[in-house]
Amino acid sequence: MKLNLRCSQGRIEIIAELFSRLGFDGITCFVYLEPEYLALKKVYEEFNVQPRFLNLIALSAGTIDFQLGFGGADRFWNALYETAKMLKNLNGVEHVESLMLQFLRDPVNAKFLNIKNKRIKKIFR
């Protein structure tokens, strides 16, 4: 099946020009508004998670951040944070794995749960 995608070179150039005017600092401001940034920041600050385990949480969650349904990314990342609150200690591979396995039980992950489970298991294998 071939997709018929139309794009306007003029529009692309205008958008690229506008983004380039923002500069690095301007573009990074967008990141601070993303639900994943806000959730991971709370996890980092509230649980004193070492950066290497925060990275593992971000990577693990990022691999299953798809087909989210109602509430989308906001609900997904908030559910991750709420699951983390139940565990307290996230400084260890086994703790992050436990977090992710519990997080998979949240309804936000119901779609394609089998695929998401396989991805998490593969990461921790």
Side-chain angles (χ1 to χ4, degrees):
M1 172 197 247
K2 185 176 180 180
L3 294 176
N4 184 12
L5 300 176
R6 296 180 355 198
C7 63
S8 163
Q9 188 63 35
R11 280 179 142 180
I12 292 170
E13 289 173 8
I14 290 169
I15 291 170
E17 173 62 26
L18 291 172
F19 270 107
S20 69
R21 287 183 192 176
L22 290 173
F24 179 79
D25 292 335
I27 291 172
T28 58
C29 286
F30 285 107
V31 173
Y32 301 135
L33 301 174
E34 291 294 322
E36 48 268 70
Y37 173 80
L38 298 171
L40 292 169
K41 182 177 188 235
K42 287 194 293 188
V43 167
Y44 176 74
E45 291 174 347
E46 290 180 29
F47 309 115
N48 292 322
V49 179
Q50 295 172 22
R52 64 185 178 157
F53 298 117
L54 186 68
N55 290 339
L56 182 56
I57 293 168
L59 173 78
S60 301
T63 64
I64 61 170
D65 181 3
F66 65 94
Q67 290 293 324
L68 303 176
F70 178 76
D74 288 322
R75 184 167 169 237
F76 176 86
W77 290 96
N78 188 55
L80 176 68
Y81 168 70
E82 292 298 324
T83 305
K85 284 183 2 183
M86 291 186 273
L87 297 178
K88 303 291 184 207
N89 184 0
L90 299 171
N91 285 311
V93 173
E94 67 280 0
H95 299 294
V96 176
E97 181 178 18
S98 179
L99 165 66
M100 296 312 300
L101 292 173
Q102 286 186 32
F103 178 50
L104 283 170
R105 295 183 195 132
D106 191 278
V108 76
N109 287 307
K111 285 186 177 180
F112 296 99
L113 182 58
N114 189 38
I115 293 170
K116 294 176 181 186
N117 249 313
K118 286 179 183 177
R119 289 182 178 188
I120 293 302
K121 287 180 181 176
K122 190 172 188 176
I123 288 171
F124 290 96
R125 195 176 27 211

